[in-house]
Amino acid sequence: MKKYILVLLMTVMAMGTIHAQGRLKRKGDELYRKLSYELAIPYYSQHLKKHIDNDATMKLAECYRLTHNYDKAAEWYDKVILIPNAPPISYFYFGHALMQQGNLETAKEMFVAYDRLSASDPRGQNFVHAIDRYGDLLKDSIRVEIKPMPFNTPEAEFGIFPYQGGVIFAAARVAGPLVVQEFNWLDSPFLNFYYTSLKEDSSEWNKPELLKGDANTRYHESNFTMADGATEFYFTRNNFIDKQKGRSDEGIIKLKLYKGQINGLETTAIEEMALSSDDYSTTHPSISGDGQTLYFASDMPGGEGGKDIYSCTKQGQGWSPPVNMKLINTPGDEMFPYIHKDGTLYFSSDGHPGLGHLDIFYVKPKGDQQVVNMGYPINSAWDDFAFYLLQNDEDGFLSSDREGGQGNDDIYQFTLRRPMLEIYVLDSIAELPIEGAKVRVRDLTDNSEQEYVTDSSGAYSFKTYFAHAFEITIETPEFGVTTTSTSTDALSGQMVFTKEINLWTPPPSITGLVIDDSTKERLPGSEVEFLDLRRKESAIRVADRNGRFHIKLEPSTYYEINVRKKGYMTYTARVSTTLNGFDGDTIIPLRMEKIPFNKPIRLKNIHYDFDKWTIRADAYNDLIYLANLMKKNPTLIVELGSHTDCRGSDAYNEALAQKRAVSARIFLLDLGIDPIRIKAKGYGESELSNHCDDGVPCSEPLHDDNRRTEFKIIGELEGVDMKNSVLETKQGQ
């Protein structure tokens, strides 16, 4: 009888223990369904001390992961993967937890296993590659200054937004309103909006104060955003109104987008946006500066998996249907979008390869929109999110639960010490800058591109990021297309990276400098013509502001070079690229002489018989020379001055001289010179060249020396406008 009673008592006690253990599991499951993961942990832990329970094991691992206790998560995922037919995602989460611990080798094994089990999900392979290049993501560490904001607390602060000289951010404060939470993974107070600013003439921040009016409620509010100069703002609020309304079909409270008006710190006119739904979350809004594009995160149906980033555009008083940004979304979570003024989209993701759970990434608006990890210390082994970059493109804010913080999500201020990339385009022979070169710079790291034209220094500079590689393409009519590359080495200690690109073409080619023969000054805007004497085709260059030009020539060809510039006599030379002639690349000076205005130049062989004005045969060559000179210098206006000896009256000699000048002018007209370019003037005996004046006995040769014709340049026609510092090709390129 006693034995029976003892057995019965032991059975009752065992049943009580089994019932207690079942109650622990049920309570843990209840809290797990409510997303109260931190509160569920002790119930699962107690249950598993007495029972082998695969479901509780997997849920406990998830609770530790979702509350960011990665050491414990790794411990329990190590047990989960031993469960027969464990969910493949367990390997992925285990890999993440191991990365948090710095155990990259084992983490890589887990990602390889996940890739094998879920080949359609690229995240496994992506994180294998991430571990292979893990060191690259750490290179920026000496180039970023980051520090926690002084108003952080052991509760959560995140999502900062500049406003009226200060900042608005979301924070959970113990002193704030408290209710029974239904969305408390970490069992913390609800989030509300706070404002703070720097004290006047100080680097200290004022004590944060709650926004006034209707924005803050007894529930979660976060992710404040507004367009430039606007009064309308957008934010996230959880959809809890009473115990039933606001829940999804699964009983989970969702997040929604709201908008309102703000004046100072007073908020009014709060209303739910039509983009929201009771069946899925819409959260983390970011509005473009012009107010025309809204970005947000959502787990709405039809996405890539988890939470995706969407965009929509302003249409009247509403918004267009959301568009899934498929190029950046993954089967994981993409959240906290932020659109910068230059169109760069920053966001956080656990699906793209990174350093930890949530990393911050960006994608440029142009190119193929390659997703780029921001690297360390912007990213850490923990959650990094809610990135905001100020207008100077260097200072900003981010949120993180990284080690060293106050205990939950904290806000950090950072300064990106961005390097400068300076590109110089030079002529390799003249060692002078090339102005007007078209340059295209492609960032191979994020696939963005920019194009520009070099200035007079042949230079262009811009701020970029460390550890980025670039492809540079230069195009000029002189040198054709040249492609080279460079990079910004994060470990070099440099803040300015210089890339000097020396352009060169294989011979035969010529680089020339057009200079003033007297002063040696450079002559920009000079037109340089290369005339192919066989084909009668011309290639023309215009010297840049350094007086430099370059031209690629044809082999085995004879050229005539003609250089023209207003105020200067045309320079003429010949060059040959035949086998025995010029066959290299060299620099040649083209020395220009200024036009000698109003300086008589004697045509030595133009003499006249006594009392005659007809052109003698021995004068032909000199007049042909003058005609050719005028053809080479098509802007010159010339005066032909004719002179007589002293014999005869002054009036007679003046008339005779005029006839002689006109005779020479007619000769030049017959050679094709424009009449408006030739003036004829008879000076008679007024400007004798020797002492043979009236009454002075002289020999015939001395009198003959006075019977002469001279020319002087008296002006220039307004010709073609010589372009200054422009490289161009006219006919026959």
Side-chain angles (χ1 to χ4, degrees):
M1 185 69 177
K2 289 182 180 179
K3 182 178 180 181
Y4 174 77
I5 293 173
L6 180 61
V7 171
L8 180 61
L9 180 60
M10 291 176 63
T11 300
V12 170
M13 291 174 63
M15 290 295 291
T17 301
I18 292 172
H19 178 74
Q21 296 296 340
R23 178 168 48 80
L24 292 172
K25 174 64 162 55
R26 286 194 299 273
K27 184 61 176 177
D29 287 345
E30 178 186 349
L31 293 168
Y32 188 90
R33 284 192 300 271
K34 292 180 178 180
L35 312 183
S36 295
Y37 300 120
E38 189 167 58
L39 296 179
I41 287 173
Y43 292 97
Y44 286 135
S45 298
Q46 289 297 318
H47 173 72
L48 289 169
K49 286 180 180 179
K50 299 291 185 178
H51 291 78
I52 298 174
D53 187 326
N54 292 342
D55 181 66
T57 299
M58 289 188 286
K59 288 178 177 176
L60 182 57
E62 280 288 274
C63 287
Y64 281 125
R65 177 181 72 87
L66 293 169
T67 56
H68 305 164
N69 188 337
Y70 294 109
D71 288 340
K72 297 296 289 185
E75 175 187 335
W76 283 93
Y77 276 119
D78 193 26
K79 304 177 190 297
V80 170
I81 63 172
L82 298 177
I83 297 173
N85 299 317
I89 195 65
S90 302
Y91 291 87
F92 183 76
Y93 291 150
F94 190 16
H96 260 303
L98 292 166
M99 285 184 71
Q100 301 288 141
Q101 297 178 317
N103 188 348
L104 300 182
E105 184 176 349
T106 307
K108 183 175 180 179
E109 293 176 3
M110 294 301 105
F111 291 132
V112 169
Y114 179 67
D115 184 59
R116 184 177 64 251
L117 295 170
S118 302
S120 61
D121 186 343
R123 288 181 295 172
Q125 193 63 37
N126 285 345
F127 274 86
V128 170
H129 294 321
I131 290 176
D132 289 339
R133 59 182 294 267
Y134 200 83
D136 292 338
L137 298 177
L138 300 175
K139 285 184 178 180
D140 286 1
S141 58
I142 60 172
R143 301 302 179 203
V144 180
E145 298 174 359
I146 187 168
K147 59 183 180 181
M149 297 298 284
F151 48 75
N152 290 329
T153 71
E155 300 299 337
E157 293 88 13
F158 69 90
I160 206 164
F161 187 89
Y163 176 73
Q164 290 192 351
V167 293
I168 292 174
F169 62 98
R173 293 285 193 261
V174 174
L178 292 173
V179 298
V180 177
Q181 285 197 61
E182 299 289 338
F183 196 78
N184 58 339
W185 295 7
L186 295 176
D187 191 31
S188 62
F190 273 96
L191 298 162
N192 283 299
F193 287 128
Y194 287 79
Y195 172 84
T196 185
S197 60
L198 288 170
K199 295 180 180 178
E200 188 173 356
D201 299 325
S202 172
S203 59
E204 295 183 9
W205 292 84
N206 290 302
K207 182 179 179 181
E209 56 182 313
L210 282 164
L211 288 190
K212 301 173 184 177
D214 302 331
N216 289 325
T217 65
R218 297 190 306 155
Y219 310 108
H220 283 302
E221 286 86 24
S222 65
N223 308 108
F224 183 101
T225 184
M226 62 190 302
D228 297 339
T231 58
E232 186 173 64
F233 69 99
Y234 303 86
F235 67 102
T236 302
R237 175 183 286 172
N238 70 300
N239 189 29
F240 184 79
I241 299 174
D242 58 37
K243 291 186 177 181
Q244 297 302 321
K245 189 176 180 181
R247 296 174 182 266
S248 69
D249 292 340
E250 297 82 13
I252 298 174
I253 298 170
K254 299 296 183 180
L255 303 173
K256 288 187 174 184
L257 297 179
Y258 288 78
K259 65 179 180 178
Q261 295 290 322
I262 185 169
N263 182 12
L265 299 185
E266 188 74 29
T267 59
T268 58
I270 306 299
E271 60 180 282
E272 180 183 321
M273 296 184 68
L275 296 168
S276 302
S277 172
D278 290 341
D279 297 321
Y280 52 80
S281 288
T282 51
T283 185
H284 309 156
S286 177
I287 188 78
S288 61
D290 61 7
Q292 296 303 301
T293 308
L294 182 69
Y295 299 82
F296 63 93
S298 177
D299 58 357
M300 67 176 64
E304 298 298 303
K307 298 177 181 67
D308 285 356
I309 293 176
Y310 292 81
S311 69
C312 54
T313 56
K314 193 79 171 176
Q315 290 185 345
Q317 297 302 310
W319 296 91
S320 69
V323 176
N324 186 294
M325 303 189 71
K326 293 181 178 293
L327 289 175
I328 64 172
N329 290 322
T330 71
D333 288 333
E334 280 69 47
M335 301 180 290
F336 296 97
Y338 159 63
I339 187 67
H340 188 47
K341 63 176 182 179
D342 65 3
T344 301
L345 181 67
Y346 297 86
F347 63 97
S348 292
S349 171
D350 64 5
H352 291 286
L355 292 172
H357 185 230
L358 279 179
D359 270 21
I360 297 170
F361 299 84
Y362 73 86
V363 61
K364 292 289 186 179
K366 297 181 180 179
D368 61 3
Q369 294 193 307
Q370 180 173 323
V371 173
V372 181
N373 190 296
M374 289 289 289
Y376 178 82
I378 293 296
N379 289 317
S380 68
W382 301 79
D383 282 345
D384 306 291
F385 56 99
F387 182 90
Y388 190 96
L389 187 62
L390 296 177
Q391 298 298 304
N392 64 7
D393 292 337
E394 293 184 348
D395 299 307
F397 305 93
L398 63 88
S399 304
S400 178
D401 65 345
R402 63 186 62 191
E403 290 182 318
Q406 290 288 324
N408 202 313
D409 295 328
D410 288 326
I411 296 172
Y412 292 81
Q413 186 174 19
F414 66 81
T415 298
L416 295 174
R417 299 180 62 210
R418 296 176 60 186
M420 184 76 73
L421 179 59
E422 296 180 343
I423 299 173
Y424 293 90
V425 183
L426 305 174
D427 183 316
S428 63
I429 301 300
E431 297 182 347
L432 288 171
I434 296 177
E435 181 180 9
K438 296 179 180 178
V439 182
R440 182 174 70 253
V441 181
R442 181 180 173 217
D443 190 324
L444 299 177
T445 306
D446 61 25
N447 275 331
S448 61
E449 284 189 4
Q450 54 182 306
E451 295 184 356
Y452 64 93
V453 176
T454 53
D455 60 15
S456 60
S457 65
Y460 180 72
S461 61
F462 59 93
K463 284 189 175 182
T464 181
Y465 298 95
F466 287 99
H468 278 217
F470 303 89
E471 179 185 80
I472 306 170
T473 302
I474 304 98
E475 182 178 358
T476 73
E478 303 173 282
F479 296 94
V481 178
T482 300
T483 300
T484 186
S485 61
T486 190
S487 62
T488 51
D489 182 359
L491 302 181
S492 67
Q494 296 174 249
M495 287 303 296
V496 178
F497 293 84
T498 300
K499 178 65 176 180
E500 189 174 284
I501 304 167
N502 292 281
L503 300 188
W504 177 83
T505 56
S509 60
I510 286 178
T511 297
L513 292 177
V514 186
I515 61 176
D516 185 304
D517 188 47
S518 176
T519 66
K520 311 306 178 189
E521 293 179 354
R522 307 284 175 81
L523 298 179
S526 300
E527 184 180 85
V528 186
E529 176 192 32
F530 283 79
L531 174 62
D532 184 327
L533 294 175
R534 180 168 59 86
R535 298 183 182 87
K536 301 302 180 182
E537 295 176 348
S538 292
I540 295 179
R541 296 288 184 262
V542 178
D544 65 18
R545 72 181 65 207
N546 291 302
R548 185 206 62 86
F549 69 90
H550 178 89
I551 189 167
K552 172 70 175 171
L553 302 177
E554 295 293 330
S556 303
T557 305
Y558 291 91
Y559 291 93
E560 181 179 88
I561 306 174
N562 293 299
V563 187
R564 302 181 182 91
K565 182 171 178 61
K566 187 175 178 63
Y568 287 84
M569 300 295 291
T570 296
Y571 175 97
T572 299
R574 292 199 174 188
V575 67
S576 168
T577 59
T578 60
L579 182 61
N580 295 322
F582 173 81
D583 61 358
D585 188 353
T586 188
I587 182 167
I588 60 173
L590 304 180
R591 305 179 187 278
M592 303 286 285
E593 295 183 0
K594 285 188 175 180
I595 296 173
F597 288 107
N598 299 308
K599 178 182 178 181
I601 301 172
R602 185 167 181 171
L603 296 170
K604 295 182 180 180
N605 293 318
I606 301 183
H607 299 284
Y608 301 90
D609 292 329
F610 178 73
D611 203 29
K612 303 291 184 182
W613 58 82
T614 56
I615 302 297
R616 293 182 349 195
D618 59 2
Y620 291 175
N621 286 339
D622 272 21
L623 288 173
I624 291 172
Y625 161 79
L626 178 56
N628 288 334
L629 179 68
M630 295 185 73
K631 289 177 181 179
K632 290 289 185 183
N633 297 271
T635 64
L636 297 185
I637 301 173
V638 171
E639 178 194 275
L640 287 171
S642 187
H643 303 263
T644 67
D645 60 30
C646 66
R647 293 173 291 184
S649 68
D650 289 349
Y652 176 82
N653 284 336
E654 186 175 333
L656 178 62
Q658 184 66 32
K659 291 177 182 179
R660 288 175 174 175
V662 170
S663 179
R665 180 176 185 271
I666 292 172
F667 191 95
L668 291 175
L669 295 179
D670 289 341
L671 293 176
I673 304 303
D674 191 329
I676 66 172
R677 300 178 58 206
I678 313 171
K679 311 296 182 184
K681 184 173 181 180
Y683 286 88
E685 59 180 285
S686 63
E687 295 183 2
L688 297 175
S689 64
N690 55 35
H691 65 282
C692 296
D693 204 345
D694 291 336
V696 178
C698 286
S699 64
E700 189 60 32
L702 289 175
H703 284 301
D704 185 57
D705 193 51
N706 282 322
R707 296 191 298 271
R708 70 196 188 277
T709 294
E710 299 172 337
F711 77 90
K712 57 184 177 183
I713 302 167
I714 60 174
E716 277 193 285
L717 293 176
E718 290 299 323
V720 177
D721 180 21
M722 296 293 187
K723 296 181 176 63
N724 185 32
S725 306
V726 176
L727 304 175
E728 65 176 3
T729 297
K730 296 188 178 177
Q731 63 189 48
Q733 167 61 24

